Amino acid sequence: MSLRLPENGALPWFEITVGEPHKVGDAINAYIVYKVHIKTNSTAFKTNDFTVQRRYRDFLWLYNQLTAHNPGVIVPPVSEKHALGRFQDEFVESRRIALERCLRKMTAHPMLYGDPDLKLFLESDSLVAEVFIKEKRQDSSKGFMTKFGETLSSATTFTKVHETDEWFESRRTQLDVLDSQLKSLLKAIEAIIKQRKDLGLASSEFGESIVSLAGTELNKPLANSLLVLGNLKIRIKDLHDKQAHMDVLTLEHTVDEYIRTIGSIKIAFMARAKFNQNMVQAQNDLSKKKANFDKMNQPSRKTKPEKIQQLQQEITEAEQRVDASKREFEEISSLIRQEFDRFDREKVEDFKHSVEAFLASMVKHQREIVGLWENYFKALNGANEEQPRKSQDQPQPCGEVTAGSSAQDAPLGETLPVRSSDILSSNAWSG
């Protein structure tokens, strides 16, 4: 296949969503199916607005195909395969987002958007049958890259090769360092998410205990204040959970995606190493043929002219193979350089947007928490100032008020100091 980049020009646009995950199959062979909705202005498709259904292994097939047939290209990776917990709502949603991001990057890639396997994946209503026919035809003509992506999709280390290009050697080192740093960052993010969830759970348990205490408190103003405090702590638990969810959607997804992208880069580097091996093998083969020709061409051997002519033809063909392998090696090296530059640019943009979204979410939720507490203290202080005056101006209350009563339910003269609705419904700090 040609490794040349497409001619400059406007690429077709794609708008892709992966949604509506639902479980199908029996208890033994169950799996999740996603609806993939595509809008595009590409004339390569039958229509510009269509929907197909795909399962995870279809996405994995696409990744393997693109990797195998586009050596040197950094193919956007799919999420990793999991045997346990794959039907849990949180995992399904996380995978859905990762698959959607993967498809969007594939269709935006100048070397991949026109790949026939990508078109087949996006458009076919009988993907499994068409893939079976396609692979059956290719069985007799598999190249060295066949199943390359499948066997190396989780690559974590480079094949040991003798690298003579300083640029590639420095990038190998850079990737190893970045891989280690991202994995450490991912572990720290996962710890923060767990801490947020634990803090939310502790806040909820504390709030429920306060609510229970309010139900047994005989002093009704105090009972109401405790009730509002307990509900406030339960509300804060929801905010901690929302922030933990946003941590996943922003930082965790981005870091995890780039850890997997480094795996794709390593596959591209290993493809280049294979091209280098082909070039070295072709050069060695040429050297052997030249040595054999020199040996057979000595006068003492009295080799027939027909044999000499045959050897010369073999040398010519070997030289052509050397030239072709050298050209392919130079092309894939140039392509990887361009792909690496693209990777660096996208990495900066993706992490910039991810961090901005993370900070905006954290500020929003912290403001909501601060707003809840400020409203609580304002209402509490206002009630404390109001209570002495009410006690002097109004007769003593009679009857009972439960912890869940409102101000309207209180007996004549009874004023509940803090109302839950005044605090928990406030949106003053939610912007």
Side-chain angles (χ1 to χ4, degrees):
M1 63 169 295
S2 173
L3 297 174
R4 293 178 300 173
L5 291 171
E7 296 180 0
N8 291 332
L11 299 178
W13 61 263
F14 290 85
E15 182 181 317
I16 296 179
T17 57
V18 177
E20 300 183 33
H22 56 281
K23 185 177 179 181
V24 299
D26 54 34
I28 299 177
N29 300 311
Y31 56 91
I32 300 295
V33 171
Y34 303 87
K35 280 191 176 181
V36 182
H37 184 214
I38 304 101
K39 290 183 179 180
T40 180
N41 65 346
S42 174
T43 57
F45 296 88
K46 300 174 183 177
T47 180
N48 59 5
D49 191 337
F50 49 98
T51 301
V52 293
Q53 294 197 21
R54 298 288 181 260
R55 56 186 295 188
Y56 172 74
R57 73 177 186 185
D58 298 329
F59 288 87
L60 187 59
W61 170 85
L62 176 62
Y63 174 75
N64 290 330
Q65 290 294 108
L66 294 180
T67 301
H69 299 147
N70 297 275
V73 174
I74 301 174
V75 179
V78 298
S79 57
E80 294 182 352
K81 193 170 185 177
H82 288 268
L84 300 176
R86 57 196 178 101
F87 297 122
Q88 296 178 359
D89 291 343
E90 186 174 345
F91 173 78
V92 171
E93 174 62 12
S94 179
R95 171 174 279 184
R96 183 200 67 78
I97 294 173
L99 295 176
E100 183 177 87
R101 289 167 64 112
C102 172
L103 278 185
R104 289 180 176 180
K105 287 198 171 186
M106 286 177 176
T107 53
H109 196 293
M111 292 291 291
L112 299 177
Y113 77 93
D115 189 282
D117 287 317
L118 178 58
K119 180 179 182 297
L120 179 65
F121 174 90
L122 293 176
E123 192 175 43
S124 175
D125 290 326
S126 55
L127 180 65
V128 175
E130 293 192 49
V131 167
F132 177 78
I133 296 173
K134 179 183 178 69
E135 292 183 347
K136 191 173 181 180
R137 291 173 180 172
Q138 293 176 344
D139 280 343
S140 59
S141 58
K142 289 181 178 179
F144 78 91
M145 291 298 293
T146 303
K147 298 297 182 182
F148 196 51
E150 183 174 355
T151 56
L152 298 175
S153 58
S154 59
T156 56
T157 57
F158 289 124
T159 300
K160 297 297 182 179
V161 295
H162 178 64
E163 183 59 71
T164 58
D165 191 312
E166 293 183 1
W167 187 91
F168 281 93
E169 184 62 31
S170 65
R171 293 306 182 274
R172 288 173 182 270
T173 303
Q174 176 185 342
L175 284 177
D176 284 337
V177 173
L178 179 61
D179 189 35
S180 176
Q181 291 175 338
L182 289 179
K183 287 178 179 177
S184 297
L185 177 58
L186 181 61
K187 183 181 293 187
I189 293 173
E190 290 173 343
I192 288 178
I193 293 172
K194 183 179 183 303
Q195 289 175 357
R196 288 197 200 282
K197 292 181 178 179
D198 290 344
L199 180 60
L201 180 61
S203 177
S204 177
E205 291 175 349
F206 176 76
E208 291 172 356
S209 298
I210 293 294
V211 169
S212 297
L213 177 62
T216 60
E217 175 58 50
L218 298 180
N219 183 294
K220 299 311 173 183
L222 175 59
N224 189 70
S225 297
L226 290 174
L227 180 64
V228 175
L229 175 61
N231 289 331
L232 185 149
K233 293 295 291 184
I234 294 174
R235 170 74 177 114
I236 288 177
K237 186 262 186 186
D238 294 336
L239 293 176
H240 283 308
D241 287 345
K242 288 181 179 179
Q243 180 58 50
H245 181 63
M246 287 303 299
D247 292 347
V248 173
L249 295 182
T250 54
L251 286 181
E252 187 182 46
H253 271 205
T254 301
V255 173
D256 181 64
E257 176 186 346
Y258 272 87
I259 291 174
R260 289 181 281 108
T261 301
I262 290 175
S264 290
I265 297 175
K266 292 179 177 181
I267 293 175
F269 274 58
M270 294 173 75
R272 175 179 173 272
K274 183 63 179 179
F275 274 89
N276 184 51
Q277 292 174 8
N278 289 346
M279 182 180 66
V280 172
Q281 184 177 349
Q283 291 171 340
N284 292 338
D285 184 56
L286 175 60
S287 298
K288 291 179 180 179
K289 290 186 180 300
K290 284 184 175 181
N292 186 43
F293 174 81
D294 292 340
K295 179 180 178 181
M296 299 299 292
N297 197 35
Q298 293 179 5
S300 59
R301 298 300 295 262
K302 297 180 181 181
T303 306
K304 294 181 179 180
E306 295 82 1
K307 182 64 174 179
I308 295 297
Q309 185 177 2
Q310 178 185 348
L311 293 175
Q312 288 176 331
Q313 179 63 28
E314 291 178 356
I315 290 175
T316 300
E317 293 174 354
E319 289 174 339
Q320 292 174 349
R321 287 193 293 272
V322 169
D323 292 339
S325 62
K326 183 178 180 180
R327 183 170 57 254
E328 289 177 344
F329 177 70
E330 291 173 350
E331 285 179 343
I332 194 174
S333 297
S334 176
L335 175 59
I336 291 177
R337 287 173 181 267
Q338 296 177 57
E339 284 288 280
F340 206 97
D341 290 341
R342 177 186 175 87
F343 164 76
D344 279 338
R345 291 194 303 270
E346 289 187 350
K347 175 166 61 69
V348 171
E349 288 299 315
D350 287 344
F351 272 91
K352 177 177 179 291
H353 293 155
S354 177
V355 171
E356 288 176 348
F358 167 76
L359 293 177
S361 171
M362 187 162 60
V363 169
K364 175 179 179 296
H365 289 104
Q366 291 301 318
R367 281 180 172 175
E368 290 185 13
I369 292 175
V370 171
L372 290 175
W373 282 115
E374 287 191 339
N375 287 335
Y376 178 77
F377 281 112
K378 286 179 182 178
L380 191 63
N381 291 335
N384 290 336
E385 295 174 358
E386 185 83 5
Q387 193 64 28
R389 185 176 62 82
K390 291 287 184 179
S391 299
Q392 296 174 3
D393 297 344
Q394 297 183 4
Q396 292 298 316
C398 60
E400 294 186 355
V401 182
T402 62
S405 300
S406 64
Q408 289 81 359
D409 298 327
L412 182 64
E414 179 80 359
T415 301
L416 299 180
V418 186
R419 290 186 300 174
S420 177
S421 59
D422 292 339
I423 298 174
L424 301 183
S425 64
S426 175
N427 294 320
W429 288 81
S430 62

